[in-house]
């Protein structure tokens, strides 16, 4: 839009040539219209403009060319400079918006990778604590370990499960945010 405004402002620097054509019927008379037609033609007393107009006695035509060129170009150059300034401002604003989107996409992509790795780590932690709970329960049943050791292992298992599901939730939120930033949410969700 701003580029079109600049082109329009530059066109103001060009000379202007206009072609004009005019054709019209003219009605002349003492009165505009009367219910009973008088039949009197202009310039007679009692003539009506409507009768003269419909009679077609007074017609005129004109054709012409109008050429104009501004002298000094002060206003036109000011318009061009103003349009250039607005275009430069819009371009800078658009570049800032592009940089913001790039930065946001990079941050979301990094968070996506981080949450994926965290989910893998928490899954491995869950698997190892599940094995630890099984071993501690066997030790408690065999009388080798105290009951609090088994409870502590079960607490760590519950924490690892919660951490795993939390990292999966964060990962899914990052996927949604990534598609939102890319503008592909509707395509992704079908």
């Amino acid at each position: 839009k701003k580029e079109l405004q600049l082109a329009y402002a530059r066109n103001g620097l060009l000379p202007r040539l206009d072609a004009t054509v005019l054709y019209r019927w003219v009605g002349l008379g003492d009165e505009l219209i009367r219910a009973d037609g008088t039949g009197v033609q202009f310039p007679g007393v009692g003539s009506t403009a409507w009768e003269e107009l419909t009679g077609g006695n007074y017609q005129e035509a004109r054709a012409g060319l109008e050429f104009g060129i501004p002298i000094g170009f002060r206003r036109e150059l000011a318009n061009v400079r103003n349009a250039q300034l607005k275009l430069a401002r819009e371009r800078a604003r658009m570049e800032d918006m592009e940089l913001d989107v790039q930065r946001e996409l990079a941050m979301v992509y990094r968070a996506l990778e981080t949450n994926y790795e965290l989910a893998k780590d928490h899954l491995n932690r869950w698997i190892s604590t599940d094995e630890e709970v099984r071993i501690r329960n066997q030790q408690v049943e065999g009388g080798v370990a105290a009951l609090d050791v088994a409870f502590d292992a079960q607490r760590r298992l519950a924490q690892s499960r919660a951490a795993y599901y939390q990292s999966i939730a964060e990962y899914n939120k990052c996927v949604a945010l990534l598609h939102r930033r890319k503008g592909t949410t509707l395509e992704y969700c079908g």
Side-chain angles (χ1 to χ4, degrees):
K1 182 178 172 182
K2 297 297 182 190
E3 288 173 352
L4 290 175
Q5 288 176 355
L6 177 61
Y8 179 76
R10 284 185 178 152
N11 285 341
L13 296 173
L14 299 174
R16 182 174 173 173
L17 179 64
D18 294 327
T20 58
V21 177
L22 174 69
Y23 181 80
R24 63 183 172 188
W25 291 30
V26 180
L28 300 172
D30 288 341
E31 297 178 23
L32 176 64
I33 194 168
R34 185 184 287 176
D36 57 335
T38 61
V40 178
Q41 292 187 348
F42 183 77
V45 176
S47 63
T48 61
W50 181 253
E51 288 181 15
E52 291 297 322
L53 180 67
T54 57
N57 293 330
Y58 299 101
Q59 301 175 24
E60 61 185 29
R62 183 179 78 179
L65 294 174
E66 294 178 13
F67 179 77
I69 185 167
I71 298 175
F73 296 103
R74 279 181 76 179
R75 183 182 317 154
E76 291 76 14
L77 288 173
N79 288 340
V80 168
R81 288 186 188 113
N82 190 23
Q84 287 172 339
L85 175 67
K86 288 180 180 179
L87 178 62
R89 186 181 316 139
E90 285 298 316
R91 284 185 177 159
R93 195 170 133 243
M94 189 166 52
E95 287 174 3
D96 284 345
M97 288 170 53
E98 288 173 354
L99 287 174
D100 287 344
V101 168
Q102 287 175 356
R103 181 183 51 81
E104 289 172 358
L105 278 173
M107 287 173 50
V108 168
Y109 191 71
R110 279 193 305 266
L112 187 72
E113 288 179 354
T114 302
N115 286 319
Y116 179 76
E117 292 299 323
L118 279 173
K120 284 190 339 186
D121 290 344
H122 290 306
L123 179 63
N124 290 335
R125 184 174 147 208
W126 181 1
I127 291 169
S128 66
T129 54
D130 192 38
E131 180 68 22
E132 180 186 6
V133 165
R134 188 184 60 78
I135 291 171
R136 295 296 180 198
N137 285 339
Q138 287 176 356
Q139 289 176 347
V140 167
E141 288 173 5
V144 177
L147 189 59
D148 64 335
V149 175
F151 287 152
D152 193 39
Q154 287 180 356
R155 180 186 52 81
R156 284 194 301 274
L157 177 63
Q159 288 174 343
S160 65
R161 283 182 183 172
Y164 172 72
Y165 288 123
Q166 181 66 32
S167 62
I168 291 294
E170 290 297 321
Y171 176 80
N172 287 329
K173 285 177 13 184
C174 287
V175 168
L177 188 58
L178 178 69
H179 286 291
R180 180 172 168 235
R181 297 284 189 234
K182 285 181 6 183
T184 58
T185 303
L186 291 177
E187 295 168 18
Y188 178 72
C189 294

